[in-house]
């Protein structure tokens, strides 16, 4: 009887070595015990080895499920995040006051240098900055809304 051919190698290690050297040692020990003890102990040895393989698989599946569950929980937490605590009424009020205070010199400079077009550009910039700030603190302000989990893409 010829021994089985070795598994293909990766970086000098067989496929089983690369995956789990401890499991390979268990298999070697089981095969060695089978040779020493004879065929009458073969079912018990195979059963013992299969239990160890089953435990490895269960452990790997459990780790993978826990990791995926944690990733789903993190994604859910990110999706349901409301505006940050720093996006308070005081911050919005302060931004509005600073915007109006800066509007006076910007209007004077724009109107003095380029007359009406300069004044319009200055106010367009002021309005633009305030719109961006408003959209950042209230994502649903301009009609964008998230689809609820009960809504379907196939609605009539």
């Amino acid at each position: 009887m010829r021994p089985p051919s070795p598994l293909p190698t990766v970086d000098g290690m067989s496929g089983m070595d690369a995956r789990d050297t401890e499991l390979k040692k268990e298999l070697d020990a089981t095969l060695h015990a089978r040779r020493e003890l004879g065929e009458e102990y073969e079912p018990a040895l195979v059963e013992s080895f299969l239990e160890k393989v089953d435990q490895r698989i269960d452990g790997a599946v459990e780790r993978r499920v826990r990791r995926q569950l944690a990733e789903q929980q993190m994604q859910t937490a990110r999706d349901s995040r409301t505006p940050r605590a720093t996006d308070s009424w005081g911050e919005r009020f302060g931004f509005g006051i600073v915007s109006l205070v800066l509007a006076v010199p910007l209007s004077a400079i724009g109107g003095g240098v380029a007359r009406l077009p300069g004044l319009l550009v200055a106010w367009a910039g002021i309005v633009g900055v305030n719109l961006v700030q408003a959209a950042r603190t209230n994502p649903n302000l301009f009609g964008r809304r998230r689809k609820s989990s009960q809504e379907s893409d196939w609605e009539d």
Side-chain angles (χ1 to χ4, degrees), residues 13-83:
M13 296 175 67
S14 72
M16 188 172 280
D17 283 340
R19 284 185 230 126
D20 194 350
T21 58
E22 190 175 320
L23 195 58
K24 183 181 184 308
K25 289 178 186 177
E26 289 289 336
L27 177 60
D28 289 341
T30 302
L31 292 174
H32 183 70
R34 195 261 181 217
R35 276 186 239 119
E36 286 185 7
L37 297 174
E39 288 184 23
E40 61 269 5
Y41 289 100
E42 185 172 329
L45 292 170
V46 170
E47 185 68 29
S48 172
F49 179 74
L50 289 177
E51 283 179 21
K52 291 175 185 173
V53 170
D54 197 28
Q55 289 172 356
R56 297 284 174 131
I57 292 170
D58 287 346
V61 169
E62 185 179 333
R63 284 189 301 275
R64 185 173 292 160
V65 167
R66 273 190 271 135
R67 184 178 65 234
Q68 288 177 346
L69 182 60
E71 288 172 358
Q72 287 175 349
Q73 289 173 344
M74 287 183 64
Q75 186 63 38
T76 300
R78 284 185 195 126
D79 289 346
S80 65
R81 196 182 300 172
T82 57

Side-chain angles (χ1 to χ4, degrees), residues 134-152:
R136 186 183 74 79
T137 58
N138 187 1
N140 299 324
L141 182 65
F142 297 112
R144 293 180 298 176
R145 66 183 183 102
R146 290 189 178 169
K147 196 182 301 182
S148 74
S149 60
Q150 296 172 347
E151 291 181 12
S152 171

Side-chain angles (χ1 to χ4, degrees), residues 61-132:
V61 169
E62 185 179 333
R63 284 189 301 275
R64 185 173 292 160
V65 167
R66 273 190 271 135
R67 184 178 65 234
Q68 288 177 346
L69 182 60
E71 288 172 358
Q72 287 175 349
Q73 289 173 344
M74 287 183 64
Q75 186 63 38
T76 300
R78 284 185 195 126
D79 289 346
S80 65
R81 196 182 300 172
T82 57
R84 295 175 302 208
T86 59
D87 295 335
S88 65
W89 181 84
E91 180 184 355
R92 290 183 302 227
F93 183 73
F95 191 85
I97 295 296
V98 169
S99 178
L100 287 174
V101 167
L102 292 177
V104 173
L106 288 174
S107 298
I109 293 169
V113 172
R115 306 260 185 249
L116 183 60
L119 185 63
L120 292 176
V121 168
W123 274 97
I126 293 165
V127 169
V129 167
N130 281 282
L131 285 175
V132 168

